[in-house]
């Protein structure tokens, strides 16, 4: 899989008879424009759930934090992002793989 956002977004997925079910989760995640926006937001580096939510809320996407959390979990499950606990901030940070 290749992800390239600058100057445009390019995502390449390879699938075959062994991995098509796993790859279908990636296609499903990419079918949501908010999920795509989150990937673009994370292009700038690691951010916490709260930081991502504030950006999405400011842009008028999500009002409730739970919606942001569920979107992040879908992207995590699809394998586009990772979630790490940062001891200093005492928060989970999300970033692109």
């Amino acid at each position: 899989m290749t992800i390239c956002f600058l100057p445009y977004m390019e995502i390449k997925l390879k699938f075959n008879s062994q991995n098509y079910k796993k790859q279908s989760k990636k296609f499903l995640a990419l079918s949501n424009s908010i999920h795509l926006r989150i990937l673009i937001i994370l292009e700038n580096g690691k951010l916490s759930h709260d930081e991502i939510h504030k950006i999405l809320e400011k842009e008028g996407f999500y009002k409730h934090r739970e919606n942001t959390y569920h979107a992040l979990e879908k992207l995590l499950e699809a394998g586009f992002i990772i979630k790490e606990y940062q001891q200093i901030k005492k928060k989970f940070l999300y970033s692109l793989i």
Side-chain angles (χ1 to χ4, degrees):
M1 175 177 61
T2 303
I3 301 178
C4 175
F5 289 106
L6 290 177
Y8 54 89
M9 183 182 301
E10 180 180 302
I11 299 173
K12 295 180 183 180
L13 299 172
K14 295 181 181 182
F15 57 97
N16 55 38
S17 60
Q18 284 78 40
N19 72 353
Y20 72 93
K21 287 184 181 181
K22 182 180 177 183
Q23 296 296 57
S24 69
K25 289 182 182 184
K26 293 180 182 186
F27 283 108
L28 186 59
L30 293 174
S31 69
N32 184 310
S33 62
I34 299 170
H35 294 175
L36 292 173
R37 180 64 184 123
I38 291 171
L39 292 176
I40 292 168
I41 290 167
L42 288 174
E43 179 183 31
N44 295 319
K46 297 178 181 182
L47 293 173
S48 71
H49 167 264
D50 291 335
E51 292 167 325
I52 296 166
H53 178 73
K54 285 178 186 176
I55 294 168
L56 293 174
E57 186 178 37
K58 183 178 173 183
E59 294 177 359
F61 286 110
Y62 285 140
K63 192 176 200 178
H64 303 289
R65 294 183 188 283
E66 301 85 36
N67 295 339
T68 303
Y69 174 78
H70 290 298
L72 288 166
E73 289 301 308
K74 291 260 187 201
L75 290 168
L76 188 65
E77 183 181 317
F80 287 111
I81 63 173
I82 57 173
K83 177 177 160 179
E84 315 173 81
Y85 186 74
Q86 190 176 55
Q87 191 69 28
I88 297 168
K89 287 188 174 184
K90 300 204 182 297
K91 292 182 179 184
F92 283 101
L93 298 181
Y94 295 88
S95 61
L96 296 176
I97 290 182

